[in-house]
Amino acid sequence: MPAPLHLPAEALEALRHGWGYDGFRPMQAEAVAAAMGGRDALVILPTGGGKSLCYQVPAACGKLVVVVSPLIALMDDQVAGAREAGLKAGALHSNLDERERSRVRTALAAGELDLIYVSPERLLVGDLAGRLARAPDIVAVDEAHCVSHWGHDFRPEYRRLTEALDQWPTAARMALTATATAQVQDDIAVQLALRDPLRLVGHVDRPNLVFRVLPRTERLRQIQEVVARHPGAGGIVYALTRKDVEQLAESLRGHGVDAAAYHAGMAAEARRKVQDGFVNERIAVVVATVAFGMGIDRSNVRFVVHAAAPRSVEHYQQESGRAGRDGGPAECVLLWGGADFATHRFLAGRDDPSPERRRALDRQLAGIGRYCVAPLCRHRLLVEHFDQPWPAPGAAEGACGACDVCLGETEAMPDDEAMVTAQKILSCVWRMESRWGAGQLIDVLRGRDTDKVQRAGHHRLTTFGLLKDAPEPALRAWIDQLVIQDLLTSDENAEYPVLMLTEAGYRLCKGDGTVRLGRITARPAKASRRRERGAGTTEAPADQALAERLRQWRRETAAAQGVPPYVVFPDTTLTAIASAKPSTLDALRQVKGIGDAKLARYGAAVLAVVAEG
Ligand code: ADP
Ligand code: ZN
């Protein structure tokens, strides 16, 4: 039996002193206690759940901690962040210049560091152990899903990590990831040879994110609306193809949005410029393919828009999860159309047409398709996809208050109305002999007497004008919803995509089966409704002018130190200062996110900015 977990009092003290936080988030205290007690642990927390503190707090308590991370691009920022909390941190990876490398080595040999970040490549070279003044107490493996073939970014070099970890048999191992599937969890435990690990699985829900799903009608206008709800704030717009990325970035710029394009076809230098510009808040919006993300640690991304359906729910969770990592309110909007699914099949077929991969893709697309069309709480759908309970333990029952369905913007059609509407559409397809695309179908249903309708004689069909009061975008969305529910299918190999009834579609026409249709009832009004997790609603509203001055000060301070602005203060802290308007160091110290190190370093400057107003 492993010893019962005990959280040393100094851990809570370190959290207050170093980070200015009052308490641990779910699973953090257990992770810290396990590591400090010498027990192996597997920590699964969603993005923004606070994984870094699980190993940084023990380091602040005097444990020697080695962190293995594959994201070299982020390491320097993580080191800078840890130093802000007063830790003695350093990094070893292949991108260091000679001076910095020798500085870190000297510090290592002298035993001056508490926290050492190292890339897997560097660790496998095997020279770190010899340079350390003593064996580490804790070895943390970040992004641990990289050891698993089942993970979405498997790294072969991670498979050899155990050999390197075995150099320090007495060190407690901590594996951390945001990937929640049981298969990946088991694989991590095996691959890293975790010894009877404590499994700490946090709830996947991200209550600070507002999720919205909208049929794509006018892409540019819909994206502009989201951008307009977050003036000047950081956001990511994902598109499927390079061409879409470039077009969208340009159109947004044409409408005065500070947007840059990013995709794998751009030169490395150009990509680096966009990435740096975004992280350092010189660029507000990046329009990108999914190539953009790994290695972006900006914690104050306030919105993520998908201009087309992503490839799977897992991808959606990961990509949308880049919003609001600081725990502040953020918005994730998915714009989808029926054609997106065909595009995914096309893109996948280009690289790997194996039947096995195709079946896997079909399953993934069906999953994200259900997410798009089901007029059910989006938070709930995401959580249940990962086999977790809804509502989260301890959370209130009822509407989430943070998705288009629960906010009353999208509603489910009553069952009988959905059935009748679906039957009207399906029988029209049947009367049109399954030889036409969505455009003609919509014209016929709406009773539009076009030349094409005349020539085909469709104005004589009994279904002509059967849905004449339905707006075109709604009809298009319903057709897509029927395709995703497998009641209609479109022949993607035809020159023009032709809609046909499926077996289930025929049966539904006869009243056999079920169908769900949703409709949009209101325009999104608010960017968010929920406040920071755990925070009460007693805070005064932030003084906007002061918030802007603080942001400006933060940008300048960060630039002078060569670190990203969020390393100086997260947005949540900045907003809290702008509402508390402290006039003394003591008052400033009460603000969440201001620890002693930050108070000493920035206190006077922040008070001066507050006093300016
Ligand atoms: P992850 O690596 O899991 O995505 P991070 O470690 O980057 O998450 O933490 C996300 C944000 O939450 C950071 O701004 C961090 O300072 C903040 N945070 C972490 N733990 C706490 C806590 N106990 N209380 C308040 N904020 C926290
Ligand atoms: Zn909801």
Side-chain angles (χ1 to χ4, degrees), residues 15 21 23-25 28 46-53 325-326 570 592:
L15 180 71
Y21 297 143
F24 284 108
R25 289 213 185 127
Q28 282 179 329
T47 307
K51 287 183 283 297
S52 6
L53 258 62
R325 291 186 56 157
D326 53 12
K592 192 168 166 189

Side-chain angles (χ1 to χ4, degrees), residues 539-551 569-582 588 591-592 594 606 609-610:
E539 244 170 46
D543 174 332
Q544 288 311 321
L546 174 54
E548 196 34 60
R549 288 206 306 280
L550 285 165
R551 248 189 290 281
F569 283 136
D571 278 18
T572 39
T573 303
L574 198 134
T575 316
I577 299 172
S579 75
K581 299 187 196 170
L588 181 60
V591 172
K592 192 168 166 189
I594 307 273
V606 168
V609 175
V610 176

Side-chain angles (χ1 to χ4, degrees), residues 86-436:
L87 287 172
K88 286 173 274 172
L92 272 185
H93 55 75
S94 45
N95 289 0
L96 292 182
D97 63 37
E98 203 37 59
R99 243 192 44 228
E100 177 64 10
R101 195 190 312 259
S102 82
R103 230 182 44 72
V104 175
R105 285 178 177 166
T106 314
L108 281 177
E112 283 168 0
L113 298 181
D114 312 316
L115 182 64
I116 303 139
Y117 285 87
V118 60
S119 61
E121 296 80 5
R122 207 55 247 168
L123 188 65
L124 290 169
V125 172
D127 59 352
L128 178 62
R131 294 181 192 281
L132 289 176
R134 63 186 174 100
D137 303 299
I138 297 160
V139 187
V141 179
D142 207 357
E143 311 289 341
H145 58 275
C146 293
V147 298
S148 171
H149 269 303
W150 308 107
H152 39 71
D153 28 55
F154 173 61
R155 307 255 173 141
E157 69 276 15
Y158 254 58
R159 287 253 158 166
R160 291 172 46 218
L161 272 184
T162 9
E163 295 163 36
L165 300 188
D166 285 342
Q167 310 172 82
W168 300 306
T170 54
R173 290 179 192 174
M174 182 188 284
L176 305 106
T177 177
T179 305
T181 71
Q183 204 172 28
V184 174
Q185 285 175 31
D186 292 344
D187 207 17
I188 292 172
V190 172
Q191 295 300 332
L192 293 177
L194 301 184
R195 299 147 297 190
D196 181 27
L198 185 67
R199 280 196 193 215
L200 299 168
V201 183
H203 200 267
V204 292
D205 190 39
R206 305 269 317 272
N208 60 318
L209 303 186
V210 171
F211 287 100
R212 292 192 163 95
V213 182
L214 297 168
R216 189 171 54 241
T217 49
E218 299 161 75
R219 183 172 75 164
L220 184 60
R221 188 187 54 72
Q222 289 174 304
I223 296 173
Q224 277 178 282
E225 282 185 7
V226 182
V227 175
R229 284 198 287 272
H230 307 270
I236 305 174
V237 177
Y238 282 113
L240 291 186
T241 65
R242 294 172 187 184
K243 201 175 104 215
D244 282 344
V245 164
E246 275 162 8
Q247 274 178 357
L248 267 177
E250 189 166 327
S251 321
L252 284 170
R253 275 197 301 272
H255 285 84
V257 177
D258 169 22
Y262 183 106
H263 58 68
M266 286 162 48
E269 176 58 22
R271 272 185 314 191
R272 204 188 49 76
K273 253 178 83 180
V274 172
Q275 173 153 348
D276 281 0
F278 184 66
V279 167
N280 292 305
E281 301 184 9
R282 290 189 304 271
I283 296 173
V285 179
V286 173
V287 185
T289 57
V290 290
F292 186 73
M294 208 41 182
I296 303 295
D297 205 22
R298 180 168 171 177
S299 70
N300 58 353
V301 173
R302 297 270 72 92
F303 62 89
V304 172
V305 180
H306 280 72
R311 181 175 161 157
S312 69
V313 176
E314 284 81 359
H315 284 83
Y316 189 59
Q317 196 215 17
Q318 204 192 29
E319 290 152 22
S320 64
R322 296 190 177 119
R325 291 186 56 157
D326 53 12
E331 180 178 8
C332 306
V333 177
L334 197 169
L335 304 175
W336 68 283
D340 301 344
F341 301 87
T343 308
H344 278 294
R345 288 202 179 87
F346 170 76
L347 293 174
R350 251 188 351 196
D351 322 332
D352 176 9
S354 83
E356 194 182 319
R357 279 283 306 271
R358 240 166 229 277
R359 270 195 301 277
L361 181 65
D362 283 342
R363 260 198 315 277
Q364 291 180 321
L365 292 177
I368 189 69
R370 271 193 301 278
Y371 176 77
C372 291
V373 300
L376 298 171
C377 174
R378 315 287 176 186
H379 278 271
R380 173 182 193 146
L381 286 171
L382 287 175
V383 164
E384 290 182 345
H385 182 86
F386 293 100
D387 295 327
Q388 290 198 348
W390 179 263
E397 290 276 344
C400 80
C403 79
D404 57 328
V405 178
C406 296
L407 290 169
E409 298 162 5
T410 298
E411 84 181 7
M413 239 187 228
D415 286 349
D416 46 351
E417 191 186 340
M419 178 65 106
V420 171
T421 308
Q423 285 174 337
K424 286 179 180 172
I425 297 170
L426 294 173
S427 60
C428 191
V429 171
W430 189 69
R431 303 248 173 237
M432 289 165 72
E433 299 175 322
S434 300
R435 279 168 37 206
W436 297 84

